Amino acid sequence: MRCKNCQHTQLAQSPIVQKYCHIANKVRNKVIMSLQDDCTLDCIANDNNISPSTVNRYLDQSRAIASLIKQELPINMALGEFRGVNQQLHFICIDNDGNHKIQAILPDRYKRTIENYFLSFPIQERARVKTISMDLNSYYQEIARRLFPNTQIIIDRFHIVAMLTRAFNQYRAQVMKRFEKTSRNYRLLKFSWRLYLVSEKKLSNVNAYYDRHIRQQVTSNERVDLGLLVDERLMADYNVMQSIMTNLSHRDMDGLTDALYPSEQISS
């Protein structure tokens, strides 16, 4: 505003907003609190009627990621990574005791960054950790064994199943390429490949449908059987994969051990 006597201008100030800012402090605080939730920057921006770039600026200013780092470690932890701002991968550590609260989010997933974070805790605190759940990342396992003396490593079942299905699909593609593209065997393995990855219990023996690729009326179970008959080793791979998936879902350790060492000839 301008003074009528001296013609000098002054900026009106209020405790509601910061100086040179038109966004209320309450909105800013709400955005900072929302950054700790499981939602995107666009969702936070839409909820508060501001732009995503403003949310990103508040993220940098408030150092919300650093504020999530706690001074003690949970008894049961889970390690992983996620894709964050600018498509960069960040390391995340959470409490695996049911509440799944965030323990720490690091700016990258480099080995040195992760080691430096955990080494900031004394050995007595790291010795309290009993279990660490993770994927098949090799240096996660190395860090866990070296820095946590009393921990037990737990591999996430999802990654085991993903590795199985990926290996099965690779051999299925190898067998498929042995045949001409116009042949029936090629079409059996080329199309409806997702059915091979479904649990056997979810395949139907009753509901038939017309498969235009093989020009035949089949059920989903019959469709899988027709494809497996093309190659004996492919059928052995399928049986092993299904056995491991079943034992993992039932938490049957003895059955899982037997399934990991099959008597059938399977692919490499």
Side-chain angles (χ1 to χ4, degrees):
M1 57 185 178
R2 184 183 298 273
C3 178
K4 294 182 180 180
N5 297 325
C6 63
Q7 300 301 315
H8 287 151
T9 58
Q10 291 181 336
L11 180 66
Q13 298 186 35
S14 168
I16 299 176
V17 297
Q18 293 183 356
K19 189 176 182 180
Y20 305 117
C21 183
H22 66 279
I23 299 177
N25 292 330
K26 289 186 177 181
V27 175
R28 182 177 182 275
N29 294 335
K30 182 183 176 183
V31 170
I32 294 174
M33 294 299 297
S34 300
L35 290 170
Q36 303 181 36
D37 299 332
D38 185 15
C39 53
T40 64
L41 297 181
D42 290 338
C43 290
I44 298 175
N46 292 333
D47 291 342
N48 295 277
N49 294 320
I50 57 177
S51 66
S53 60
T54 302
V55 179
N56 201 13
R57 187 172 67 253
Y58 286 163
L59 176 63
D60 294 336
Q61 293 174 353
S62 63
R63 301 184 182 275
I65 289 180
S67 68
L68 293 174
I69 298 179
K70 302 178 181 178
Q71 298 303 315
E72 61 179 23
L73 294 171
I75 301 298
N76 301 292
M77 288 196 306
L79 310 182
E81 63 265 349
F82 68 96
R83 195 172 299 278
V85 181
N86 297 327
Q87 299 299 308
Q88 183 178 357
L89 288 172
H90 301 276
F91 174 82
I92 183 172
C93 172
I94 67 173
D95 187 344
N96 209 25
D97 274 333
N99 52 19
H100 295 147
K101 290 184 178 179
I102 297 176
Q103 167 70 21
I105 297 177
L106 303 184
D108 56 61
R109 59 167 186 165
Y110 298 140
K111 185 177 180 180
R112 181 177 298 178
T113 304
I114 300 172
E115 287 179 340
N116 290 338
Y117 167 70
F118 286 125
L119 286 173
S120 65
F121 296 90
I123 183 63
Q124 296 82 359
E125 183 66 27
R126 286 184 272 125
R128 291 177 57 252
V129 180
K130 295 181 179 179
T131 65
I132 298 181
S133 301
M134 63 182 70
D135 57 18
L136 294 166
N137 192 320
S138 59
Y139 68 82
Y140 284 178
Q141 299 181 36
E142 179 188 347
I143 292 173
R145 292 191 178 98
R146 185 157 46 83
L147 302 184
F148 300 90
N150 300 324
T151 192
Q152 181 181 9
I153 296 176
I154 301 175
I155 302 299
D156 189 351
R157 290 178 297 171
F158 167 80
H159 294 90
I160 298 177
V161 174
M163 182 173 60
L164 284 170
T165 55
R166 185 166 56 249
F168 176 84
N169 268 333
Q170 288 175 353
Y171 185 67
R172 177 189 60 82
Q174 293 176 13
V175 176
M176 179 186 71
K177 292 177 182 178
R178 298 175 189 170
F179 305 100
E180 295 291 334
K181 292 185 178 181
T182 56
S183 65
R184 176 182 170 85
N185 288 341
Y186 182 90
R187 295 197 302 271
L188 282 170
L189 298 177
K190 171 69 175 179
F191 303 103
S192 300
W193 57 270
R194 290 183 178 85
L195 289 177
Y196 298 105
L197 309 182
V198 176
S199 174
E200 288 180 310
K201 295 182 179 180
K202 296 182 179 180
L203 296 176
S204 174
N205 287 316
V206 179
N207 299 323
Y209 68 97
Y210 182 77
D211 191 320
R212 62 186 179 87
H213 300 293
I214 61 175
R215 300 181 180 89
Q216 185 177 340
Q217 192 88 1
V218 291
T219 63
S220 57
N221 198 9
E222 292 173 345
R223 179 65 177 80
V224 171
D225 289 340
L226 289 173
L228 296 178
L229 289 174
V230 173
D231 185 82
E232 292 183 0
R233 188 161 291 183
L234 183 67
M235 181 179 292
D237 284 2
Y238 178 82
N239 293 334
V240 171
M241 179 181 67
Q242 290 291 336
S243 178
I244 293 176
M245 290 168 59
T246 301
N247 288 301
L248 281 174
S249 63
H250 292 166
R251 303 176 184 268
D252 186 352
M253 292 297 297
D254 294 333
L256 178 62
T257 303
D258 294 338
L260 290 173
Y261 298 95
S263 58
E264 302 174 275
Q265 291 293 325
I266 60 175
S267 66
S268 57

